[in-house]
Amino acid sequence: MSRHRFFVPPDSIVENRVSMGPELVHRLRNVLRLGPGDSIVLLDGSGLEYTVRLDSLRRHEGEGTVLGRSPCPNEPNLRIVLYQALLKGDSLELVLQKCTELGIYAFAPLISERCVARRPSANRLQRWSSIVLEAAQQSRRAVLPPIQEAVSFTEGCSMAPHPAFILWEGETATSLKRALSAAAIREAGEVGLFVGPEGGFTLEEIERATASGIVPVTMGNRILRAETAGLIAATAVLYEAGDLGH
Amino acid sequence: MSRHRFFVPPDSIVENRVSMGPELVHRLRNVLRLGPGDSIVLLDGSGLEYTVRLDSLRRHEGEGTVLGRSPCPNEPNLRIVLYQALLKGDSLELVLQKCTELGIYAFAPLISERCVARRPSANRLQRWSSIVLEAAQQSRRAVLPPIQEAVSFTEGCSMAPHPAFILWEGETATSLKRALSAAAIREAGEVGLFVGPEGGFTLEEIERATASGIVPVTMGNRILRAETAGLIAATAVLYEAGDLGH
């Protein structure tokens, strides 16, 4: 049976005792109609899955008992950090939702020269977090990808793990496929992927990235929208690494 | 310079003469502010690109001259036919848009047992067509992927090209990666991909598919939404075939 899954703050689980807050209790009791004796899966973001029996669900708090804990087999071995430039309107929401389903490890919003979108408001950040949370629960992940604070392109370049790749429509020689092969991606623990805004990266940005050891790559002749490119590139990376079934 | 691109009916181009209808003329004249002497790219869906000089733009019709024609280098070698089960709400729109950008060759909507969505209305079909058209123009394709008439699962199985693969969460042994490798996908001209509705395929459907030579495959442990799975699988197929940069 596939049980309902919820992320909880790490301190909700102390040894075998679980305490649950009002939102989760509401969801369990009023939305899913669960009660004492039913069991669910809780995730503390560490990569472990906790099978939990519900003991009591009062109005504002609930309690449960950990019946078992095991490492979740659903996380990719390769950790992809997506350095995604801010996008217009709600486009970043699609990126966050789909890339979380796919298995991205962390999101690093990037403010690059041609970004039209502004730094996200607190409201928007909260909305982004709940999109990632919902997608992570639904796709049965055990790690909740963090959305890091938005950084400048230069900061992004200096923070990025290696190997790292930057999608650039001006690149004609090196495909992502060749670059992944050259980087022996199956042996890499972590990889950075840089994706530009609607207007793309500037030549200066590409030069700066290259100077930081980030490799400009192409994914062929068709022009992908800014909101699509990261998902397609991340799929290729996980596929190559054997993390979409091996 | 990257010129504006438009699909036109094949009979709009006769030898070097181009005739344009009211919608395209409106777009050129009033939206893009182009006039006689400017040039655009027209596509007749054959895979050729026509560089066209505008000669006259009257209110309801326009004329132009073909300056050059060349095969468009943007189409994948491998033709993917996506047998996508109907989805709830507007979810299929995302599939059509993103898979057109990616490079899908044709869409075959599928009515499978667990489909909640009904056969599309004429209005909806028209909306789908314009989504595909817009995505094909924007991504600089030269082939406009047709949306075939919706067929039953059984019909789909008998129409599918080979090799063909069906995404199934119950498959544990064969990954898409292994199946693509076993099928020598780089040498295949055409491939079928079957993707289920929100509730997945039934065991009977998987058996029927298998009997038709369609291979059930997994893409790993994370659960992708029905609207996401086709795009991810098609990305993997094109990547493997060297059609996302080689």
Side-chain angles (χ1 to χ4, degrees):
Chain A
M1 198 197 76
S2 94
R3 292 196 184 84
H4 295 286
R5 300 166 68 88
F6 303 95
F7 282 92
V8 291
D11 61 6
S12 310
I13 303 175
V14 178
E15 295 184 2
N16 285 332
R17 302 301 310 153
V18 178
S19 56
M20 292 170 283
E23 273 187 53
L24 178 54
V25 169
H26 168 73
R27 185 93 212 249
L28 295 172
R29 215 170 70 147
N30 305 331
V31 180
L32 299 171
R33 307 274 171 195
L34 299 180
D38 288 328
S39 63
I40 59 175
V41 172
L42 295 184
L43 307 146
D44 63 0
S46 68
L48 290 178
E49 294 182 332
Y50 298 82
T51 304
V52 169
R53 185 191 64 221
L54 301 176
D55 295 328
S56 70
L57 293 177
R58 285 184 298 277
R59 189 148 173 206
H60 293 296
E61 54 175 12
E63 289 180 351
T65 303
V66 174
L67 301 180
R69 69 191 79 202
S70 57
C72 173
N74 301 352
E75 289 297 320
N77 289 315
L78 181 62
R79 297 185 300 275
I80 300 180
V81 183
L82 182 64
Y83 291 83
Q84 169 71 61
L86 295 179
L87 301 175
K88 288 188 215 168
D90 295 333
S91 297
L92 204 65
E93 298 186 1
L94 187 76
V95 176
L96 295 170
Q97 184 191 61
K98 295 303 168 211
C99 287
T100 299
E101 280 180 64
L102 179 69
I104 287 281
Y105 182 71
F107 296 98
L110 208 59
I111 301 171
S112 72
E113 194 172 322
R114 291 187 187 145
C115 277
V116 176
R118 303 233 190 110
R119 196 175 277 272
S121 65
N123 272 348
R124 175 155 284 196
L125 276 172
Q126 185 148 19
R127 190 170 155 70
W128 287 357
S129 296
S130 50
I131 287 169
V132 167
L133 177 69
E134 203 199 327
Q137 287 173 171
Q138 194 192 323
S139 56
R140 304 201 196 155
R141 294 191 58 178
V143 167
L144 190 58
I147 303 172
Q148 300 170 4
E149 205 180 334
V151 293
S152 72
F153 185 82
T154 307
E155 288 172 300
C157 287
S158 59
M159 288 161 49
H162 288 276
F165 308 99
I166 184 165
L167 303 185
W168 187 42
E169 76 283 2
E171 178 60 40
T172 51
T174 306
S175 68
L176 178 59
K177 195 177 182 85
R178 282 196 196 170
L180 290 175
S181 169
I185 203 68
R186 274 172 180 272
E187 276 74 55
E190 199 162 338
V191 57
L193 261 186
F194 283 70
V195 181
E198 292 81 1
F201 291 115
T202 65
L203 191 55
E204 290 69 32
E205 286 171 334
I206 296 298
E207 282 165 358
R208 183 177 296 269
T210 306
S212 304
I214 301 166
V215 181
V217 294
T218 174
M219 288 197 298
N221 291 329
R222 289 174 302 288
I223 304 295
L224 297 166
R225 282 175 213 236
E227 69 185 36
T228 319
L231 178 63
I232 301 298
T235 298
V237 172
L238 289 183
Y239 177 83
E240 184 67 49
D243 274 322
L244 282 177
H246 46 83
Chain B
M1 197 199 77
S2 94
R3 291 195 183 87
H4 295 284
R5 300 167 69 87
F6 303 95
F7 282 93
V8 291
D11 61 6
S12 311
I13 303 174
V14 178
E15 295 183 5
N16 286 332
R17 301 301 310 150
V18 178
S19 55
M20 292 169 282
E23 271 186 56
L24 178 55
V25 168
H26 169 73
R27 185 94 211 249
L28 295 172
R29 217 170 68 147
N30 305 330
V31 181
L32 298 171
R33 307 275 171 196
L34 298 179
D38 288 328
S39 64
I40 59 175
V41 172
L42 296 184
L43 307 146
D44 62 2
S46 68
L48 290 177
E49 295 183 332
Y50 298 81
T51 305
V52 169
R53 184 190 66 220
L54 301 176
D55 295 328
S56 70
L57 293 178
R58 285 184 299 277
R59 189 148 171 205
H60 293 294
E61 52 174 12
E63 288 181 351
T65 303
V66 175
L67 301 180
R69 70 193 78 201
S70 57
C72 174
N74 302 351
E75 290 297 321
N77 289 315
L78 181 62
R79 297 185 300 274
I80 300 181
V81 183
L82 182 64
Y83 291 83
Q84 169 70 62
L86 296 178
L87 300 175
K88 288 188 214 166
D90 295 334
S91 296
L92 204 65
E93 297 185 2
L94 187 76
V95 176
L96 294 169
Q97 185 191 59
K98 296 300 168 211
C99 289
T100 298
E101 279 180 64
L102 179 70
I104 287 281
Y105 182 72
F107 296 99
L110 209 58
I111 301 171
S112 72
E113 195 172 322
R114 292 188 186 143
C115 276
V116 176
R118 303 233 189 111
R119 197 175 275 274
S121 66
N123 273 347
R124 176 155 283 198
L125 276 172
Q126 185 149 20
R127 190 169 155 71
W128 287 356
S129 296
S130 49
I131 287 169
V132 167
L133 176 69
E134 204 199 326
Q137 286 174 171
Q138 194 192 323
S139 56
R140 303 201 197 155
R141 295 193 55 178
V143 167
L144 189 59
I147 304 172
Q148 300 169 4
E149 204 181 333
V151 293
S152 71
F153 185 81
T154 307
E155 288 172 299
C157 287
S158 58
M159 288 161 48
H162 287 276
F165 308 98
I166 184 165
L167 303 185
W168 187 42
E169 76 283 1
E171 178 60 40
T172 51
T174 306
S175 68
L176 177 60
K177 195 178 181 83
R178 281 196 197 169
L180 290 175
S181 170
I185 203 69
R186 274 173 179 272
E187 275 75 54
E190 199 162 338
V191 57
L193 261 186
F194 283 69
V195 180
E198 292 81 1
F201 290 116
T202 65
L203 191 55
E204 290 69 32
E205 286 171 333
I206 296 298
E207 284 166 357
R208 182 176 296 270
T210 307
S212 305
I214 300 165
V215 181
V217 294
T218 174
M219 287 198 298
N221 291 329
R222 290 175 301 288
I223 304 296
L224 296 166
R225 282 174 214 237
E227 69 184 38
T228 318
L231 179 63
I232 301 298
T235 299
V237 172
L238 289 183
Y239 177 82
E240 184 67 49
D243 274 322
L244 282 177
H246 47 82

